[in-house]
Amino acid sequence: MSNVLDVESLSVEFCVNGNDFYAVRDVSFHIKAGETFGLVGESGCGKSVTSLALVRLLSKLAKVHGNVHYSGRNLLKLSDREMRQVRGNEVSMIFQEPMTSLNPVYKIGAQISESLRLHKKLSARDAFQQALEMLRKVGIARPNEIMDEYPHQLSGGMRQRVMIAIAMVCNPNLLIADEPTTALDVTIQAQILELMRTLSSDYGTSVLLITHDLGVVAEMCDRVAVMYAGEIVEQGSVDDIFFAPNHPYTKGLLNAIPKIDAVTKERLQPIEGNVPSLSRMPKGCRFAPRCANAMEQCKTESPELFDVGEEHTSRCWLSKPKEANA
Ligand SMILES: Nc1ncnc2c1ncn2[C@@H]1O[C@H](COP(=O)(O)OP(=O)(O)OP(=O)(O)O)[C@@H](O)[C@H]1O
Ligand SMILES: [Mg+2]
């Protein structure tokens, strides 16, 4: 299967109070055509910075290194004009908080039609018709009336549906969804996830789904990368990550989520300690200070990603393949 997106050694540096620090370091992954790829990790680990770097929406002050290959082009090398053509058309985004992404002074109909007029050069009338059709597809009741309303007149779940309508209306190749359901209550969350799944399979859209919720990953994704303190620490299929986790951090995350079908009344085990601040990263493995299995080497040397299965990698010295006997 061909890759829609190939991210190679993406790093993002910010300068704070005169000091440079890496918010994202050496992140590599690819997304195959039609698949949903999850990026999961605790708050502050660099998920949003990664996604914003891919589509060049970080401030100019951020230093971005690496390559982002999309459909034969390196997005990091495109001109601003070329990038605007890609964004919202071939690659679209849904963000966590719809109120900050919707423009409060424009009616819903105008906001959905806008990208059709801009990217597909449709007439106002055709764009309006397609926008209305898209509102129907995302399950908005009374779509005719909603076209004529403003964002503040809608509920949170409706706004998120509108965001999805805007993101999907140009039939993108790749959808980047950053915590698309975090702000919603669980029943609405399930409906929105179901809607995203149906639309992505109907349209054949590949999805980069960013979340801190492993339940959402299990529900939606084919493959997943687990991030910790700016780095990918483990990557594999959803089955690998849930049934054969390798990295101590992934195992810790899995032990910290409640299981509804647990037979025993085991207590949840939080991961001891805190995520290190980006300006004070430990020298060796970033997870070492919280890891029960840390060895001397972990405190001084940063591990690379080792193969631990087919398309399954883990950034842990304990998973380094044994040297073959000479
Ligand atoms: N513009 C910026 N300038 C300086 N530091 C930043 C900037 N944007 C993000 N950061 C830092 O980069 C780190 C990663 O932030 P990011 O928003 O990617 O986290 P996240 O994984 O998306 O978290 P959450 O789950 O809370 O959304 C954080 O420590 C954050 O403080
Ligand atoms: Mg975020």
Side-chain angles (χ1 to χ4, degrees):
M1 220 191 292
S2 60
N3 293 341
V4 168
L5 188 77
D6 245 308
V7 179
E8 278 172 13
S9 294
L10 182 75
S11 296
V12 180
E13 265 181 287
F14 288 115
C15 181
V16 176
N17 300 331
N19 296 316
D20 286 341
F21 68 88
Y22 280 98
V24 167
R25 198 172 73 169
D26 199 16
V27 160
S28 299
F29 62 89
H30 61 271
I31 303 181
K32 297 175 198 168
E35 81 172 347
T36 296
F37 185 85
L39 197 55
V40 66
E42 281 170 285
S43 185
C45 71
K47 306 181 295 293
S48 296
V49 169
T50 303
S51 69
L52 293 171
L54 299 180
V55 287
R56 306 241 310 259
L57 286 177
L58 285 172
S59 99
K60 295 269 181 232
L61 296 174
K63 285 187 220 149
V64 181
H65 317 274
N67 296 304
V68 177
H69 297 289
Y70 166 79
S71 174
R73 286 163 287 175
N74 186 350
L75 296 186
L76 300 186
K77 301 261 156 66
L78 296 187
S79 67
D80 288 350
R81 196 167 151 266
E82 289 168 323
M83 193 61 217
R84 274 197 300 276
Q85 266 304 315
V86 172
R87 230 187 277 128
N89 185 21
E90 297 171 59
V91 179
S92 65
M93 288 145 288
I94 305 176
F95 296 106
Q96 181 166 354
E97 190 22 83
M99 219 34 207
T100 53
S101 321
L102 290 170
N103 192 326
V105 299
Y106 288 108
K107 290 180 177 172
I108 299 298
Q111 299 199 43
I112 306 176
S113 317
E114 189 194 344
S115 65
L116 285 167
R117 301 202 59 189
L118 188 73
H119 295 298
K120 306 286 183 217
K121 310 278 181 262
L122 294 190
S123 67
R125 192 176 205 208
D126 290 348
F128 189 88
Q129 277 311 320
Q130 281 202 23
L132 182 62
E133 185 52 31
M134 198 66 221
L135 265 192
R136 267 196 206 103
K137 281 205 182 112
V138 298
I140 293 257
R142 315 180 281 115
N144 281 300
E145 291 164 50
I146 298 294
M147 288 286 279
D148 212 26
E149 290 186 0
Y150 291 93
H152 74 265
Q153 293 172 277
L154 274 53
S155 70
M158 283 164 88
R159 278 185 214 134
Q160 202 55 309
R161 283 174 196 264
V162 169
M163 286 303 302
I164 294 177
I166 294 173
M168 297 299 286
V169 76
C170 287
N171 194 1
N173 233 347
L174 174 67
L175 172 68
I176 299 177
D178 188 355
E179 307 268 9
T181 56
T182 307
L184 305 171
D185 66 54
V186 280
T187 49
I188 308 287
Q189 198 174 73
Q191 290 172 9
I192 298 284
L193 291 177
E194 179 58 33
L195 170 66
M196 283 180 56
R197 201 178 10 226
T198 313
L199 287 177
S200 67
S201 90
D202 286 357
Y203 287 69
T205 314
S206 313
V207 182
L208 172 60
L209 181 62
I210 294 174
T211 178
H212 61 268
D213 187 335
L214 282 168
V216 170
V217 170
E219 187 82 6
M220 300 285 290
C221 298
D222 301 299
R223 291 185 307 119
V224 54
V226 180
M227 278 189 89
Y228 182 78
E231 293 179 330
I232 289 181
V233 294
E234 183 163 1
Q235 192 171 156
S237 69
V238 163
D239 281 358
D240 290 336
I241 299 297
F242 282 86
F243 299 114
N246 179 283
H247 197 280
Y249 176 64
T250 314
K251 291 180 188 168
L253 277 184
L254 289 166
N255 284 335
I257 51 171
K259 295 177 196 62
I260 209 148
D261 56 353
V263 200
T264 53
K265 289 224 164 78
E266 277 173 47
R267 277 182 167 265
L268 294 179
Q269 289 171 9
I271 306 174
E272 298 289 334
N274 293 310
V275 182
S277 97
L278 292 176
S279 52
R280 287 206 204 151
M281 272 302 152
K283 206 163 129 237
C285 169
R286 294 180 168 201
F287 188 61
R290 300 173 78 185
C291 180
N293 308 325
M295 312 174 291
E296 265 322 298
Q297 183 181 26
C298 308
K299 294 176 194 154
T300 53
E301 282 179 69
S302 182
E304 59 198 274
L305 280 163
F306 297 111
D307 285 333
V308 293
E310 198 182 326
E311 286 202 89
H312 184 189
T313 52
S314 174
R315 194 182 288 281
C316 176
W317 284 122
L318 289 164
S319 302
K320 184 179 177 201
K322 303 274 172 287
E323 310 265 320
N325 288 332

